Amino acid sequence: MKTIFLAVILGLLLMSNTSFAQDGKSYLVTVTKLHWNMDNKSFSNDEWIATEKEYLDKVVKKNPFIVGQEVLMHSFTEDNTELLLVTTYENWEAIEKAGAKDDELVKAAWPDEKARKAFFEKRGQYYAHGHSDEIYATMPGAKLPKGNFDKDMIYYVRVGHFAYPKDGTEKEFSELEKQYFDAVTNKNDLIKAYYPNRHAWGADNTEFTEVYVVESLADLDSALNKNRELFQAAWKDEAKRKDYNDKSAKYFTGKHSDYIYKSVHQLVK
């Protein structure tokens, strides 16, 4: 049976390769997994944030091809050295143009070559050399915040996997998504934001990634409980709940993994 915390969002691509955010636009989201330089013995969190904020203000915020960006730090994951740089673009062309624009803005912000080299050496000392990248496509049913958060938030990331049932249809899946989102996710005031994404480029084309944003770990636990309450209130009859779960469960393998990150509210575009 499908767990009721899993919002069912259209993403199977049974009929189409197009995905849309809640505002009707299509977006691509790059996720770069970085790692702390564990040999940096003089690490200062305040200095790291100040360094990254300088780059954010002088480059990222001035780059018109970058729709948004945020940094997520390990909270409960398998690797305590990881942090994620999450960047949103309108399309593939914007990703390519953003890189060239970054170079232009960097030279404008640090016109002196020695000063530029010094800044990036300072910035680079915080990170190990290795990193990995994934690209996701946004999907319908996002719950968008009114603006940037003014404090660090908890990001619960659930990575599920699509199945491809022979009796599945885009229409049915879309209807299930809307029912659940309207009755549960959108009504849960503890969930401050929700972002569903599907695989676009990376290691596993079956990945379905859901991101739930809450204010604290305590709120995450409460949000789980409230989702159950809202689900039962919307589907009062046990037989109807079972019917809904059976229909939605066939679109997933049943396997998922969970990660919890903490945002850095000063480093958001």
Side-chain angles (χ1 to χ4, degrees), residues 125-195:
Q125 71 180 344
Y126 292 105
Y127 308 108
H129 293 296
H131 74 272
S132 58
D133 301 284
E134 297 281 345
I135 302 179
Y136 297 91
T138 59
M139 296 170 58
K143 183 176 183 178
L144 305 176
K146 295 179 180 179
N148 291 341
F149 299 111
D150 60 2
K151 64 178 181 179
D152 297 350
M153 303 290 283
I154 294 297
Y155 281 54
Y156 165 57
V157 180
R158 179 185 176 108
V159 181
H161 298 272
F162 288 121
Y164 301 91
K166 292 182 179 179
D167 61 341
T169 67
E170 181 179 0
K171 182 176 183 295
E172 179 185 53
F173 204 79
S174 181
E175 290 173 351
L176 291 169
E177 172 270 322
K178 190 176 188 314
Q179 290 173 26
Y180 190 92
F181 181 81
D182 290 345
V184 181
T185 307
N186 205 34
K187 287 186 177 181
N188 191 334
D189 57 355
L190 293 169
I191 298 174
K192 303 304 180 182
Y194 168 73
Y195 308 106

Side-chain angles (χ1 to χ4, degrees), residues 53-69 97-98 100-110 268-269:
K53 191 174 188 309
E54 182 177 358
Y55 185 84
L56 178 77
D57 292 340
K58 292 181 177 180
V59 180
V60 178
K61 287 186 176 180
K62 293 183 178 181
N63 192 328
F65 301 107
I66 296 176
V67 175
Q69 187 173 99
K97 289 184 176 180
K101 188 64 176 179
D102 273 354
D103 293 340
E104 176 186 322
L105 290 166
V106 164
K107 290 179 181 179
W110 295 275
V268 176
K269 177 180 180 180

Side-chain angles (χ1 to χ4, degrees), residues 31-35 82-85 129-134:
V31 179
T32 299
K33 182 183 290 186
L34 300 163
H35 297 272
E82 71 176 343
L83 62 161
L84 306 182
L85 178 65
H129 293 296
H131 74 272
S132 58
D133 301 284
E134 297 281 345

Side-chain angles (χ1 to χ4, degrees), residues 21 23 25-31 60 63-70 85-92 94-95 98 135-138 144 195 197 269:
D23 62 2
K25 287 186 177 181
S26 173
Y27 294 93
L28 291 177
V29 180
T30 65
V31 179
V60 178
N63 192 328
F65 301 107
I66 296 176
V67 175
Q69 187 173 99
E70 57 191 329
L85 178 65
V86 183
T87 310
T88 303
Y89 305 88
E90 287 192 352
N91 48 44
W92 286 100
I95 293 177
I135 302 179
Y136 297 91
T138 59
L144 305 176
Y195 308 106
N197 301 287
K269 177 180 180 180

Side-chain angles (χ1 to χ4, degrees), residues 39-58:
D39 294 325
N40 183 359
K41 305 303 181 184
S42 59
F43 175 83
S44 165
N45 191 66
D46 290 341
E47 290 181 7
W48 168 69
I49 290 177
T51 301
E52 286 299 337
K53 191 174 188 309
E54 182 177 358
Y55 185 84
L56 178 77
D57 292 340
K58 292 181 177 180

